[in-house]
PDB file of all heavy atoms in Angstrom:
ATOM      1  N   LEU A 270       0.791  -1.200   0.011  1.00  0.00           N
ATOM      2  CA  LEU A 270      -0.015  -0.023   0.002  1.00  0.00           C
ATOM      3  C   LEU A 270       0.911   1.237   0.054  1.00  0.00           C
ATOM      4  O   LEU A 270       0.601   2.214  -0.725  1.00  0.00           O
ATOM      5  CB  LEU A 270      -0.918  -0.034   1.167  1.00  0.00           C
ATOM      6  CG  LEU A 270      -1.939   1.153   1.299  1.00  0.00           C
ATOM      7  CD1 LEU A 270      -2.879   1.199   0.056  1.00  0.00           C
ATOM      8  CD2 LEU A 270      -2.704   1.136   2.622  1.00  0.00           C
ATOM      9  N   ALA A 271       1.932   1.259   0.764  1.00  0.00           N
ATOM     10  CA  ALA A 271       2.769   2.419   0.855  1.00  0.00           C
ATOM     11  C   ALA A 271       3.454   2.620  -0.503  1.00  0.00           C
ATOM     12  O   ALA A 271       3.612   3.811  -0.967  1.00  0.00           O
ATOM     13  CB  ALA A 271       3.896   2.225   1.929  1.00  0.00           C
ATOM     14  N   GLY A 272       3.786   1.552  -1.150  1.00  0.00           N
ATOM     15  CA  GLY A 272       4.420   1.761  -2.521  1.00  0.00           C
ATOM     16  C   GLY A 272       3.447   2.305  -3.565  1.00  0.00           C
ATOM     17  O   GLY A 272       3.909   2.868  -4.568  1.00  0.00           O
ATOM     18  N   THR A 273       2.181   2.097  -3.353  1.00  0.00           N
ATOM     19  CA  THR A 273       1.151   2.721  -4.322  1.00  0.00           C
ATOM     20  C   THR A 273       0.857   4.121  -4.069  1.00  0.00           C
ATOM     21  O   THR A 273       0.123   4.755  -4.879  1.00  0.00           O
ATOM     22  CB  THR A 273      -0.074   1.799  -4.329  1.00  0.00           C
ATOM     23  OG1 THR A 273      -0.725   1.878  -3.061  1.00  0.00           O
ATOM     24  CG2 THR A 273       0.221   0.412  -4.665  1.00  0.00           C
ATOM     25  N   GLN A 274       1.196   4.595  -2.828  1.00  0.00           N
ATOM     26  CA  GLN A 274       0.804   5.954  -2.434  1.00  0.00           C
ATOM     27  C   GLN A 274       1.915   6.966  -2.363  1.00  0.00           C
ATOM     28  O   GLN A 274       1.642   8.153  -2.367  1.00  0.00           O
ATOM     29  CB  GLN A 274       0.094   5.945  -1.136  1.00  0.00           C
ATOM     30  CG  GLN A 274      -1.155   5.153  -1.139  1.00  0.00           C
ATOM     31  CD  GLN A 274      -1.947   5.135   0.173  1.00  0.00           C
ATOM     32  OE1 GLN A 274      -1.296   5.321   1.195  1.00  0.00           O
ATOM     33  NE2 GLN A 274      -3.234   4.917   0.194  1.00  0.00           N
ATOM     34  N   VAL A 275       3.158   6.413  -2.430  1.00  0.00           N
ATOM     35  CA  VAL A 275       4.287   7.420  -2.397  1.00  0.00           C
ATOM     36  C   VAL A 275       5.275   7.113  -3.456  1.00  0.00           C
ATOM     37  O   VAL A 275       5.515   5.954  -3.671  1.00  0.00           O
ATOM     38  CB  VAL A 275       4.968   7.263  -0.940  1.00  0.00           C
ATOM     39  CG1 VAL A 275       6.199   8.068  -0.871  1.00  0.00           C
ATOM     40  CG2 VAL A 275       3.974   7.553   0.176  1.00  0.00           C
ATOM     41  N   PRO A 276       5.768   8.107  -4.190  1.00  0.00           N
ATOM     42  CA  PRO A 276       5.692   9.545  -4.016  1.00  0.00           C
ATOM     43  C   PRO A 276       4.423  10.063  -4.684  1.00  0.00           C
ATOM     44  O   PRO A 276       4.005  11.197  -4.521  1.00  0.00           O
ATOM     45  CB  PRO A 276       6.963  10.073  -4.701  1.00  0.00           C
ATOM     46  CG  PRO A 276       7.336   9.010  -5.574  1.00  0.00           C
ATOM     47  CD  PRO A 276       6.902   7.633  -5.016  1.00  0.00           C
ATOM     48  N   VAL A 277       3.824   9.287  -5.586  1.00  0.00           N
ATOM     49  CA  VAL A 277       2.518   9.662  -6.218  1.00  0.00           C
ATOM     50  C   VAL A 277       1.503   8.638  -5.929  1.00  0.00           C
ATOM     51  O   VAL A 277       1.832   7.499  -5.725  1.00  0.00           O
ATOM     52  CB  VAL A 277       2.697   9.948  -7.750  1.00  0.00           C
ATOM     53  CG1 VAL A 277       3.620  11.061  -8.083  1.00  0.00           C
ATOM     54  CG2 VAL A 277       3.128   8.634  -8.446  1.00  0.00           C
ATOM     55  N   ASN A 278       0.273   9.124  -5.839  1.00  0.00           N
ATOM     56  CA  ASN A 278      -0.774   8.177  -5.556  1.00  0.00           C
ATOM     57  C   ASN A 278      -1.321   7.510  -6.835  1.00  0.00           C
ATOM     58  O   ASN A 278      -1.735   8.134  -7.786  1.00  0.00           O
ATOM     59  CB  ASN A 278      -1.956   8.974  -4.827  1.00  0.00           C
ATOM     60  CG  ASN A 278      -2.842   8.039  -4.156  1.00  0.00           C
ATOM     61  OD1 ASN A 278      -2.708   6.821  -4.100  1.00  0.00           O
ATOM     62  ND2 ASN A 278      -3.886   8.572  -3.547  1.00  0.00           N
ATOM     63  N   ARG A 279      -1.186   6.153  -6.880  1.00  0.00           N
ATOM     64  CA  ARG A 279      -1.694   5.359  -7.998  1.00  0.00           C
ATOM     65  C   ARG A 279      -2.993   4.703  -7.552  1.00  0.00           C
ATOM     66  O   ARG A 279      -2.927   3.843  -6.651  1.00  0.00           O
ATOM     67  CB  ARG A 279      -0.673   4.449  -8.488  1.00  0.00           C
ATOM     68  CG  ARG A 279       0.551   5.222  -9.114  1.00  0.00           C
ATOM     69  CD  ARG A 279       1.636   4.284  -9.539  1.00  0.00           C
ATOM     70  NE  ARG A 279       2.330   3.452  -8.493  1.00  0.00           N
ATOM     71  CZ  ARG A 279       3.278   3.892  -7.700  1.00  0.00           C
ATOM     72  NH1 ARG A 279       3.656   5.136  -7.779  1.00  0.00           N
ATOM     73  NH2 ARG A 279       3.777   3.102  -6.719  1.00  0.00           N
ATOM     74  N   TRP A 280      -4.131   5.054  -8.098  1.00  0.00           N
ATOM     75  CA  TRP A 280      -5.397   4.598  -7.558  1.00  0.00           C
ATOM     76  C   TRP A 280      -5.763   3.153  -7.835  1.00  0.00           C
ATOM     77  O   TRP A 280      -6.267   2.469  -6.903  1.00  0.00           O
ATOM     78  CB  TRP A 280      -6.474   5.464  -8.109  1.00  0.00           C
ATOM     79  CG  TRP A 280      -6.402   6.866  -7.621  1.00  0.00           C
ATOM     80  CD1 TRP A 280      -5.931   7.970  -8.250  1.00  0.00           C
ATOM     81  CD2 TRP A 280      -6.769   7.250  -6.223  1.00  0.00           C
ATOM     82  NE1 TRP A 280      -6.022   9.085  -7.286  1.00  0.00           N
ATOM     83  CE2 TRP A 280      -6.481   8.667  -6.136  1.00  0.00           C
ATOM     84  CE3 TRP A 280      -7.276   6.671  -5.152  1.00  0.00           C
ATOM     85  CZ2 TRP A 280      -6.743   9.355  -5.002  1.00  0.00           C
ATOM     86  CZ3 TRP A 280      -7.508   7.317  -3.926  1.00  0.00           C
ATOM     87  CH2 TRP A 280      -7.228   8.725  -3.894  1.00  0.00           C
ATOM     88  N   VAL A 281      -5.399   2.644  -8.980  1.00  0.00           N
ATOM     89  CA  VAL A 281      -5.739   1.233  -9.304  1.00  0.00           C
ATOM     90  C   VAL A 281      -5.013   0.238  -8.398  1.00  0.00           C
ATOM     91  O   VAL A 281      -5.534  -0.624  -7.707  1.00  0.00           O
ATOM     92  CB  VAL A 281      -5.525   0.999 -10.761  1.00  0.00           C
ATOM     93  CG1 VAL A 281      -5.813  -0.477 -11.136  1.00  0.00           C
ATOM     94  CG2 VAL A 281      -6.536   1.798 -11.589  1.00  0.00           C
ATOM     95  N   PRO A 282      -3.625   0.360  -8.290  1.00  0.00           N
ATOM     96  CA  PRO A 282      -2.996  -0.586  -7.336  1.00  0.00           C
ATOM     97  C   PRO A 282      -3.343  -0.342  -5.922  1.00  0.00           C
ATOM     98  O   PRO A 282      -3.443  -1.304  -5.129  1.00  0.00           O
ATOM     99  CB  PRO A 282      -1.454  -0.291  -7.555  1.00  0.00           C
ATOM    100  CG  PRO A 282      -1.378   0.425  -8.846  1.00  0.00           C
ATOM    101  CD  PRO A 282      -2.703   1.091  -9.033  1.00  0.00           C
ATOM    102  N   SER A 283      -3.599   0.881  -5.594  1.00  0.00           N
ATOM    103  CA  SER A 283      -4.049   1.179  -4.195  1.00  0.00           C
ATOM    104  C   SER A 283      -5.399   0.477  -3.885  1.00  0.00           C
ATOM    105  O   SER A 283      -5.556  -0.084  -2.811  1.00  0.00           O
ATOM    106  CB  SER A 283      -4.110   2.671  -3.950  1.00  0.00           C
ATOM    107  OG  SER A 283      -4.442   2.963  -2.691  1.00  0.00           O
ATOM    108  N   ALA A 284      -6.317   0.619  -4.807  1.00  0.00           N
ATOM    109  CA  ALA A 284      -7.582  -0.040  -4.668  1.00  0.00           C
ATOM    110  C   ALA A 284      -7.489  -1.521  -4.585  1.00  0.00           C
ATOM    111  O   ALA A 284      -8.204  -2.168  -3.833  1.00  0.00           O
ATOM    112  CB  ALA A 284      -8.542   0.392  -5.830  1.00  0.00           C
ATOM    113  N   ALA A 285      -6.580  -2.110  -5.362  1.00  0.00           N
ATOM    114  CA  ALA A 285      -6.437  -3.568  -5.292  1.00  0.00           C
ATOM    115  C   ALA A 285      -5.891  -3.990  -3.957  1.00  0.00           C
ATOM    116  O   ALA A 285      -6.358  -5.042  -3.452  1.00  0.00           O
ATOM    117  CB  ALA A 285      -5.437  -3.931  -6.451  1.00  0.00           C
ATOM    118  N   VAL A 286      -4.913  -3.243  -3.465  1.00  0.00           N
ATOM    119  CA  VAL A 286      -4.502  -3.622  -2.105  1.00  0.00           C
ATOM    120  C   VAL A 286      -5.519  -3.459  -0.988  1.00  0.00           C
ATOM    121  O   VAL A 286      -5.715  -4.278  -0.161  1.00  0.00           O
ATOM    122  CB  VAL A 286      -3.193  -2.776  -1.759  1.00  0.00           C
ATOM    123  CG1 VAL A 286      -2.757  -2.947  -0.269  1.00  0.00           C
ATOM    124  CG2 VAL A 286      -2.011  -3.122  -2.676  1.00  0.00           C
ATOM    125  N   MET A 287      -6.348  -2.470  -1.158  1.00  0.00           N
ATOM    126  CA  MET A 287      -7.412  -2.222  -0.170  1.00  0.00           C
ATOM    127  C   MET A 287      -8.484  -3.362  -0.285  1.00  0.00           C
ATOM    128  O   MET A 287      -9.056  -3.740   0.779  1.00  0.00           O
ATOM    129  CB  MET A 287      -8.042  -0.827  -0.333  1.00  0.00           C
ATOM    130  CG  MET A 287      -7.138   0.299   0.056  1.00  0.00           C
ATOM    131  SD  MET A 287      -6.420   0.124   1.707  1.00  0.00           S
ATOM    132  CE  MET A 287      -7.910   0.281   2.663  1.00  0.00           C
ATOM    133  N   ILE A 288      -8.708  -3.816  -1.470  1.00  0.00           N
ATOM    134  CA  ILE A 288      -9.678  -4.948  -1.646  1.00  0.00           C
ATOM    135  C   ILE A 288      -9.100  -6.189  -0.932  1.00  0.00           C
ATOM    136  O   ILE A 288      -9.846  -6.893  -0.297  1.00  0.00           O
ATOM    137  CB  ILE A 288     -10.016  -5.165  -3.101  1.00  0.00           C
ATOM    138  CG1 ILE A 288     -10.884  -3.995  -3.680  1.00  0.00           C
ATOM    139  CG2 ILE A 288     -10.696  -6.498  -3.339  1.00  0.00           C
ATOM    140  CD1 ILE A 288     -11.063  -4.058  -5.152  1.00  0.00           C
ATOM    141  N   LEU A 289      -7.808  -6.477  -1.137  1.00  0.00           N
ATOM    142  CA  LEU A 289      -7.170  -7.620  -0.451  1.00  0.00           C
ATOM    143  C   LEU A 289      -7.283  -7.441   1.028  1.00  0.00           C
ATOM    144  O   LEU A 289      -7.527  -8.405   1.780  1.00  0.00           O
ATOM    145  CB  LEU A 289      -5.742  -7.802  -0.883  1.00  0.00           C
ATOM    146  CG  LEU A 289      -5.485  -8.268  -2.260  1.00  0.00           C
ATOM    147  CD1 LEU A 289      -3.970  -8.243  -2.643  1.00  0.00           C
ATOM    148  CD2 LEU A 289      -5.974  -9.690  -2.405  1.00  0.00           C
ATOM    149  N   PHE A 290      -7.024  -6.238   1.518  1.00  0.00           N
ATOM    150  CA  PHE A 290      -7.146  -5.949   2.976  1.00  0.00           C
ATOM    151  C   PHE A 290      -8.597  -6.223   3.451  1.00  0.00           C
ATOM    152  O   PHE A 290      -8.755  -6.931   4.494  1.00  0.00           O
ATOM    153  CB  PHE A 290      -6.778  -4.515   3.276  1.00  0.00           C
ATOM    154  CG  PHE A 290      -7.121  -4.071   4.698  1.00  0.00           C
ATOM    155  CD1 PHE A 290      -6.542  -4.593   5.795  1.00  0.00           C
ATOM    156  CD2 PHE A 290      -8.274  -3.257   4.850  1.00  0.00           C
ATOM    157  CE1 PHE A 290      -6.878  -4.174   7.046  1.00  0.00           C
ATOM    158  CE2 PHE A 290      -8.633  -2.884   6.152  1.00  0.00           C
ATOM    159  CZ  PHE A 290      -7.967  -3.348   7.208  1.00  0.00           C
ATOM    160  N   LEU A 291      -9.563  -5.714   2.709  1.00  0.00           N
ATOM    161  CA  LEU A 291     -10.950  -5.934   3.129  1.00  0.00           C
ATOM    162  C   LEU A 291     -11.329  -7.462   3.075  1.00  0.00           C
ATOM    163  O   LEU A 291     -12.014  -7.902   4.026  1.00  0.00           O
ATOM    164  CB  LEU A 291     -11.882  -5.173   2.225  1.00  0.00           C
ATOM    165  CG  LEU A 291     -11.850  -3.702   2.469  1.00  0.00           C
ATOM    166  CD1 LEU A 291     -12.741  -2.965   1.439  1.00  0.00           C
ATOM    167  CD2 LEU A 291     -12.347  -3.237   3.844  1.00  0.00           C
ATOM    168  N   LEU A 292     -10.867  -8.145   2.129  1.00  0.00           N
ATOM    169  CA  LEU A 292     -11.122  -9.602   2.032  1.00  0.00           C
ATOM    170  C   LEU A 292     -10.543 -10.304   3.293  1.00  0.00           C
ATOM    171  O   LEU A 292     -11.096 -11.160   3.953  1.00  0.00           O
ATOM    172  CB  LEU A 292     -10.502 -10.243   0.771  1.00  0.00           C
ATOM    173  CG  LEU A 292     -11.346  -9.828  -0.476  1.00  0.00           C
ATOM    174  CD1 LEU A 292     -10.559 -10.427  -1.720  1.00  0.00           C
ATOM    175  CD2 LEU A 292     -12.705 -10.419  -0.464  1.00  0.00           C
ATOM    176  N   GLY A 293      -9.310  -9.882   3.659  1.00  0.00           N
ATOM    177  CA  GLY A 293      -8.675 -10.577   4.841  1.00  0.00           C
ATOM    178  C   GLY A 293      -9.341 -10.205   6.134  1.00  0.00           C
ATOM    179  O   GLY A 293      -9.589 -10.993   7.006  1.00  0.00           O
ATOM    180  N   ALA A 294      -9.730  -8.922   6.257  1.00  0.00           N
ATOM    181  CA  ALA A 294     -10.394  -8.482   7.480  1.00  0.00           C
ATOM    182  C   ALA A 294     -11.826  -9.202   7.594  1.00  0.00           C
ATOM    183  O   ALA A 294     -12.186  -9.648   8.670  1.00  0.00           O
ATOM    184  CB  ALA A 294     -10.576  -6.962   7.441  1.00  0.00           C
ATOM    185  N   VAL A 295     -12.544  -9.178   6.534  1.00  0.00           N
ATOM    186  CA  VAL A 295     -13.881  -9.792   6.525  1.00  0.00           C
ATOM    187  C   VAL A 295     -13.737 -11.318   6.907  1.00  0.00           C
ATOM    188  O   VAL A 295     -14.486 -11.889   7.699  1.00  0.00           O
ATOM    189  CB  VAL A 295     -14.619  -9.558   5.219  1.00  0.00           C
ATOM    190  CG1 VAL A 295     -15.819 -10.489   5.156  1.00  0.00           C
ATOM    191  CG2 VAL A 295     -15.036  -8.140   5.148  1.00  0.00           C
ATOM    192  N   ALA A 296     -12.774 -11.977   6.267  1.00  0.00           N
ATOM    193  CA  ALA A 296     -12.552 -13.365   6.516  1.00  0.00           C
ATOM    194  C   ALA A 296     -12.251 -13.652   7.982  1.00  0.00           C
ATOM    195  O   ALA A 296     -12.729 -14.609   8.637  1.00  0.00           O
ATOM    196  CB  ALA A 296     -11.377 -13.938   5.654  1.00  0.00           C
ATOM    197  N   SER A 297     -11.431 -12.775   8.610  1.00  0.00           N
ATOM    198  CA  SER A 297     -11.076 -13.022  10.014  1.00  0.00           C
ATOM    199  C   SER A 297     -12.217 -12.724  10.917  1.00  0.00           C
ATOM    200  O   SER A 297     -12.426 -13.423  11.912  1.00  0.00           O
ATOM    201  CB  SER A 297      -9.851 -12.208  10.379  1.00  0.00           C
ATOM    202  OG  SER A 297     -10.216 -10.851  10.390  1.00  0.00           O
ATOM    203  N   PHE A 298     -13.089 -11.807  10.575  1.00  0.00           N
ATOM    204  CA  PHE A 298     -14.235 -11.567  11.425  1.00  0.00           C
ATOM    205  C   PHE A 298     -15.338 -12.561  11.205  1.00  0.00           C
ATOM    206  O   PHE A 298     -16.033 -12.889  12.104  1.00  0.00           O
ATOM    207  CB  PHE A 298     -14.750 -10.096  11.121  1.00  0.00           C
ATOM    208  CG  PHE A 298     -13.973  -9.018  11.667  1.00  0.00           C
ATOM    209  CD1 PHE A 298     -13.366  -8.038  10.880  1.00  0.00           C
ATOM    210  CD2 PHE A 298     -13.705  -8.918  13.040  1.00  0.00           C
ATOM    211  CE1 PHE A 298     -12.593  -7.120  11.340  1.00  0.00           C
ATOM    212  CE2 PHE A 298     -12.832  -7.935  13.518  1.00  0.00           C
ATOM    213  CZ  PHE A 298     -12.386  -7.001  12.648  1.00  0.00           C
ATOM    214  N   ARG A 299     -15.390 -13.086  10.038  1.00  0.00           N
ATOM    215  CA  ARG A 299     -16.440 -14.158   9.741  1.00  0.00           C
ATOM    216  C   ARG A 299     -16.109 -15.531  10.398  1.00  0.00           C
ATOM    217  O   ARG A 299     -16.982 -16.333  10.572  1.00  0.00           O
ATOM    218  CB  ARG A 299     -16.582 -14.347   8.269  1.00  0.00           C
ATOM    219  CG  ARG A 299     -17.168 -13.194   7.465  1.00  0.00           C
ATOM    220  CD  ARG A 299     -18.609 -13.092   7.451  1.00  0.00           C
ATOM    221  NE  ARG A 299     -19.130 -14.390   7.135  1.00  0.00           N
ATOM    222  CZ  ARG A 299     -20.250 -14.569   6.554  1.00  0.00           C
ATOM    223  NH1 ARG A 299     -20.928 -13.487   6.127  1.00  0.00           N
ATOM    224  NH2 ARG A 299     -20.724 -15.735   6.333  1.00  0.00           N
ATOM    225  N   LEU A 300     -14.917 -15.701  10.751  1.00  0.00           N
ATOM    226  CA  LEU A 300     -14.487 -17.028  11.423  1.00  0.00           C
ATOM    227  C   LEU A 300     -15.026 -17.132  12.802  1.00  0.00           C
ATOM    228  O   LEU A 300     -15.002 -18.226  13.243  1.00  0.00           O
ATOM    229  CB  LEU A 300     -12.960 -17.112  11.338  1.00  0.00           C
ATOM    230  CG  LEU A 300     -12.410 -17.436   9.956  1.00  0.00           C
ATOM    231  CD1 LEU A 300     -10.870 -17.374   9.914  1.00  0.00           C
ATOM    232  CD2 LEU A 300     -12.898 -18.698   9.323  1.00  0.00           C
ATOM    233  N   GLY A 301     -15.352 -16.054  13.362  1.00  0.00           N
ATOM    234  CA  GLY A 301     -15.902 -16.199  14.787  1.00  0.00           C
ATOM    235  C   GLY A 301     -15.302 -15.118  15.672  1.00  0.00           C
ATOM    236  O   GLY A 301     -14.317 -14.368  15.350  1.00  0.00           O
ATOM    237  N   ALA A 302     -15.893 -14.999  16.831  1.00  0.00           N
ATOM    238  CA  ALA A 302     -15.440 -13.994  17.823  1.00  0.00           C
ATOM    239  C   ALA A 302     -13.981 -14.218  18.273  1.00  0.00           C
ATOM    240  O   ALA A 302     -13.304 -13.195  18.546  1.00  0.00           O
ATOM    241  CB  ALA A 302     -16.321 -14.041  19.114  1.00  0.00           C
ATOM    242  N   GLU A 303     -13.506 -15.404  18.349  1.00  0.00           N
ATOM    243  CA  GLU A 303     -12.065 -15.571  18.747  1.00  0.00           C
ATOM    244  C   GLU A 303     -11.118 -15.110  17.745  1.00  0.00           C
ATOM    245  O   GLU A 303      -9.951 -14.804  18.060  1.00  0.00           O
ATOM    246  CB  GLU A 303     -11.777 -17.042  19.061  1.00  0.00           C
ATOM    247  CG  GLU A 303     -11.978 -17.986  17.883  1.00  0.00           C
ATOM    248  CD  GLU A 303     -13.386 -18.537  17.693  1.00  0.00           C
ATOM    249  OE1 GLU A 303     -14.333 -18.091  18.467  1.00  0.00           O
ATOM    250  OE2 GLU A 303     -13.574 -19.359  16.783  1.00  0.00           O
ATOM    251  N   PHE A 304     -11.566 -14.859  16.470  1.00  0.00           N
ATOM    252  CA  PHE A 304     -10.630 -14.417  15.429  1.00  0.00           C
ATOM    253  C   PHE A 304     -10.726 -12.873  15.235  1.00  0.00           C
ATOM    254  O   PHE A 304     -10.100 -12.300  14.393  1.00  0.00           O
ATOM    255  CB  PHE A 304     -10.889 -15.111  14.115  1.00  0.00           C
ATOM    256  CG  PHE A 304     -10.396 -16.519  14.091  1.00  0.00           C
ATOM    257  CD1 PHE A 304     -11.300 -17.556  14.321  1.00  0.00           C
ATOM    258  CD2 PHE A 304      -9.075 -16.798  13.860  1.00  0.00           C
ATOM    259  CE1 PHE A 304     -10.780 -18.855  14.336  1.00  0.00           C
ATOM    260  CE2 PHE A 304      -8.657 -18.020  13.816  1.00  0.00           C
ATOM    261  CZ  PHE A 304      -9.520 -19.133  14.031  1.00  0.00           C
ATOM    262  N   THR A 305     -11.683 -12.178  15.999  1.00  0.00           N
ATOM    263  CA  THR A 305     -11.769 -10.726  15.899  1.00  0.00           C
ATOM    264  C   THR A 305     -10.417 -10.071  16.277  1.00  0.00           C
ATOM    265  O   THR A 305     -10.037  -9.152  15.597  1.00  0.00           O
ATOM    266  CB  THR A 305     -12.879 -10.306  16.867  1.00  0.00           C
ATOM    267  OG1 THR A 305     -14.085 -10.949  16.402  1.00  0.00           O
ATOM    268  CG2 THR A 305     -13.126  -8.804  16.680  1.00  0.00           C
ATOM    269  N   LEU A 306      -9.801 -10.545  17.283  1.00  0.00           N
ATOM    270  CA  LEU A 306      -8.522  -9.961  17.663  1.00  0.00           C
ATOM    271  C   LEU A 306      -7.467 -10.160  16.551  1.00  0.00           C
ATOM    272  O   LEU A 306      -6.601  -9.358  16.397  1.00  0.00           O
ATOM    273  CB  LEU A 306      -8.037 -10.455  19.077  1.00  0.00           C
ATOM    274  CG  LEU A 306      -6.884  -9.760  19.692  1.00  0.00           C
ATOM    275  CD1 LEU A 306      -7.210  -8.260  19.844  1.00  0.00           C
ATOM    276  CD2 LEU A 306      -6.549 -10.343  21.038  1.00  0.00           C
ATOM    277  N   VAL A 307      -7.530 -11.280  15.907  1.00  0.00           N
ATOM    278  CA  VAL A 307      -6.607 -11.552  14.792  1.00  0.00           C
ATOM    279  C   VAL A 307      -6.851 -10.513  13.680  1.00  0.00           C
ATOM    280  O   VAL A 307      -5.888 -10.026  13.043  1.00  0.00           O
ATOM    281  CB  VAL A 307      -6.771 -12.985  14.255  1.00  0.00           C
ATOM    282  CG1 VAL A 307      -5.929 -13.225  13.012  1.00  0.00           C
ATOM    283  CG2 VAL A 307      -6.390 -14.004  15.284  1.00  0.00           C
ATOM    284  N   GLY A 308      -8.169 -10.232  13.400  1.00  0.00           N
ATOM    285  CA  GLY A 308      -8.443  -9.255  12.403  1.00  0.00           C
ATOM    286  C   GLY A 308      -7.996  -7.807  12.709  1.00  0.00           C
ATOM    287  O   GLY A 308      -7.451  -7.072  11.880  1.00  0.00           O
ATOM    288  N   VAL A 309      -8.135  -7.497  13.975  1.00  0.00           N
ATOM    289  CA  VAL A 309      -7.630  -6.185  14.529  1.00  0.00           C
ATOM    290  C   VAL A 309      -6.169  -6.104  14.377  1.00  0.00           C
ATOM    291  O   VAL A 309      -5.484  -5.122  13.967  1.00  0.00           O
ATOM    292  CB  VAL A 309      -8.124  -5.923  15.978  1.00  0.00           C
ATOM    293  CG1 VAL A 309      -7.442  -4.738  16.523  1.00  0.00           C
ATOM    294  CG2 VAL A 309      -9.647  -5.780  15.929  1.00  0.00           C
ATOM    295  N   THR A 310      -5.493  -7.220  14.775  1.00  0.00           N
ATOM    296  CA  THR A 310      -3.990  -7.286  14.623  1.00  0.00           C
ATOM    297  C   THR A 310      -3.514  -7.148  13.174  1.00  0.00           C
ATOM    298  O   THR A 310      -2.616  -6.458  12.873  1.00  0.00           O
ATOM    299  CB  THR A 310      -3.481  -8.635  15.151  1.00  0.00           C
ATOM    300  OG1 THR A 310      -3.911  -8.762  16.539  1.00  0.00           O
ATOM    301  CG2 THR A 310      -1.941  -8.718  15.163  1.00  0.00           C
ATOM    302  N   PHE A 311      -4.219  -7.759  12.251  1.00  0.00           N
ATOM    303  CA  PHE A 311      -3.976  -7.706  10.846  1.00  0.00           C
ATOM    304  C   PHE A 311      -4.088  -6.241  10.375  1.00  0.00           C
ATOM    305  O   PHE A 311      -3.214  -5.682   9.695  1.00  0.00           O
ATOM    306  CB  PHE A 311      -4.948  -8.527  10.100  1.00  0.00           C
ATOM    307  CG  PHE A 311      -4.959  -8.389   8.587  1.00  0.00           C
ATOM    308  CD1 PHE A 311      -3.816  -8.800   7.864  1.00  0.00           C
ATOM    309  CD2 PHE A 311      -6.062  -7.932   7.948  1.00  0.00           C
ATOM    310  CE1 PHE A 311      -3.840  -8.758   6.484  1.00  0.00           C
ATOM    311  CE2 PHE A 311      -6.043  -7.907   6.556  1.00  0.00           C
ATOM    312  CZ  PHE A 311      -4.964  -8.262   5.852  1.00  0.00           C
ATOM    313  N   ALA A 312      -5.157  -5.481  10.812  1.00  0.00           N
ATOM    314  CA  ALA A 312      -5.379  -4.081  10.404  1.00  0.00           C
ATOM    315  C   ALA A 312      -4.202  -3.209  10.941  1.00  0.00           C
ATOM    316  O   ALA A 312      -3.705  -2.349  10.275  1.00  0.00           O
ATOM    317  CB  ALA A 312      -6.710  -3.629  10.861  1.00  0.00           C
ATOM    318  N   VAL A 313      -3.917  -3.366  12.274  1.00  0.00           N
ATOM    319  CA  VAL A 313      -2.927  -2.578  12.911  1.00  0.00           C
ATOM    320  C   VAL A 313      -1.523  -2.726  12.259  1.00  0.00           C
ATOM    321  O   VAL A 313      -0.773  -1.819  11.965  1.00  0.00           O
ATOM    322  CB  VAL A 313      -2.863  -2.831  14.420  1.00  0.00           C
ATOM    323  CG1 VAL A 313      -1.695  -2.219  15.030  1.00  0.00           C
ATOM    324  CG2 VAL A 313      -4.173  -2.252  15.110  1.00  0.00           C
TER     325      VAL A 313
END
């Protein structure tokens, strides 16, 4: 993500990385309450 935003912002690669992030976050939250902290750790 940092490589897509610095020194110039490239929207298509940045959007692709954010979609991957959202897929990972949703997957970790959908696995159950015990994986919620794993999702938060992933985001941080």
Side-chain angles (χ1 to χ4, degrees):
L270 183 64
T273 64
Q274 294 180 337
V275 175
V277 294
N278 198 0
R279 294 179 297 278
W280 290 103
V281 174
S283 182
V286 171
M287 291 307 294
I288 289 171
L289 286 173
F290 166 72
L291 289 175
L292 287 174
V295 167
S297 68
F298 287 118
R299 296 274 313 208
L300 289 174
E303 63 272 5
F304 287 97
T305 302
L306 191 55
V307 173
V309 170
T310 304
F311 173 64
V313 169

